Amino acid sequence: MNNEHNCVRIFVSLIIAMCLRIAPLPENLALLNPDWVLLVLIYWSLAIPERVGIGHAWFFGILTDVLMGRLFGQYALSYSLIIYLVLIWHRQLRQFPLTQQSAFVFGCLLISQLLLFWFENLKAPAQLHGTFWLPVLSGTASWFIVYHVMRFVRRF
Amino acid sequence: MRLLIAIIAAVALLITEYRSERLMPVRATLSMLTDPLKYLVDLPISLFENVSTILTSYNTLKTENTELRQEKLINKTQLLKFEALEKENIRLRALLENSFKLGEQVLIAELLSINLAPYEHIMVVNKGTRFGVHQQQPVLDSNGVVGQVFRALPFTSEIMLITDPNHAIPVQVNRNGLLTIAVGSGISNQLNLPYLPNNADIQAGDLLITSGLGGTFPAGYPVAVVDDFPQTSNKSITHITATPKAMLDRNRELLIVWTNNTPIPLTTPIIKTPASHE
């Protein structure tokens, strides 16, 4: 596989993920909108860990912070932490069936959302409802889609 | 090792941003990369709207035009009266040796249809610091107060709606001048009025207007209408809510307002508009 092509693919897929992140969905669906950027980052760091690492995660985390208007560094922190976890276990994770992988993704999304919850409360004690945690579930469900779509993109 | 660097860098950024506004230029620079995405996501919807305008039939446009003309006529006559009233008000205030704020400039900004965080009531508009927009500017629509500029970036700015749970706006009851604070409820189209004394004279249907206290919002703009609430002896326990006048979830065009913060001394004659007659 061509390295340069891969670079373009990584970049474009992450840009699309960022667009999906701010997609104008109706209110009920918006509550379910998962963290696409993190899912795509997890996929790439599983597929080509030698190319996509903590640096990518950090950079795209900062961009997501600016895009979403969060405190500077909160997505950068959670993304780099999670990509680190993925990199540690990527050998085992690759052997896992998709369902077991999605369990791991669930854990990752939960950690990320927990960190986000903490930062949001730090910034301003917002009244966060139970719906705040819904993206974790929908993200786990979307992992199947992300995995297949991204594998298609990678092998295309 | 890399993780350590990444975490330290991120935490350092977090602390700096949490404590000060020093990172605003960095954010502005990085937003040059991300703002195109906002416009990109908005593009299909604005295109659809443009196409539907093109496809509107001649007849619809014609009737709309006539209606708008009539509305404009009515508005203009009302404004004539308003100008006379304003002059009278200024003169009366001069008698009281009170200063009067006037001179408000507006900029029309269009909403970008993107969704940042569903648990926050923050919207993005297509005007930013390039147009002179700055933090804490009030934002209105044709019906009332929408919110305030929360963060101004070069090409876009984030607007916190009055319904955001972290937003509070000083208001007064138009009927009797009772001052209170309307806090966002986190539910679209609802404000809470938690700081009312026991004997507060407030009724369902009362119009709440901005009181001008706090300095962010100019005085006298309609904010919300008080909802029905059960009549009990203890109003401080009763959960009193109000519905915003502005169409928070339907409008695509908003007005960003510049207020003249220096009160004009009233010893000098004020010449504002030639329309009103002395």
Side-chain angles (χ1 to χ4, degrees), chain B residues 202-265:
Chain B
I202 194 162
Q203 293 165 6
D206 273 347
L207 178 69
L208 300 173
I209 60 170
T210 49
S211 64
L213 296 177
T216 304
F217 294 95
Y221 283 106
V223 178
V225 175
V226 177
D227 295 330
D228 283 325
F229 57 88
Q231 284 294 336
T232 50
S233 54
N234 199 346
K235 279 206 177 81
S236 54
I237 294 174
T238 323
H239 184 64
I240 299 180
T241 58
T243 312
K245 287 283 278 180
M247 297 200 196
L248 294 178
D249 45 358
R250 268 159 288 173
N251 251 348
R252 235 179 113 76
E253 260 135 32
L254 303 172
L255 299 170
I256 300 177
V257 183
W258 278 262
T259 44
N260 204 342
N261 270 329
T262 45
I264 294 166

Side-chain angles (χ1 to χ4, degrees), chain B residues 3 40 48 84 91 139 206 257 269 271:
Chain B
L3 175 75
L40 187 72
F48 173 75
R91 259 182 280 122
V139 180
D206 273 347
V257 183
I271 303 142

Side-chain angles (χ1 to χ4, degrees), chain A residues 22 24 58 68-70 72, chain B residues 6 17 27 113 115-116 120 151:
Chain A
I22 55 167
W58 196 82
M68 311 269 296
R70 303 294 94 184
F72 235 139
Chain B
E17 166 110 297
R27 192 183 276 274
S113 30
N115 224 329
L116 291 189
E120 278 181 346
R151 190 181 276 142

Side-chain angles (χ1 to χ4, degrees), chain A residues 63-72 74-75 120 123, chain B residues 17 27 38 116 120 122 150-151 153 158:
Chain A
L63 282 189
T64 315
D65 282 327
V66 176
L67 181 73
M68 311 269 296
R70 303 294 94 184
L71 272 182
F72 235 139
Q74 71 185 51
Y75 276 113
E120 289 294 312
K123 186 176 72 179
Chain B
E17 166 110 297
R27 192 183 276 274
K38 293 181 186 171
L116 291 189
E120 278 181 346
I122 285 179
F150 173 62
R151 190 181 276 142
L153 297 169
E158 292 161 25

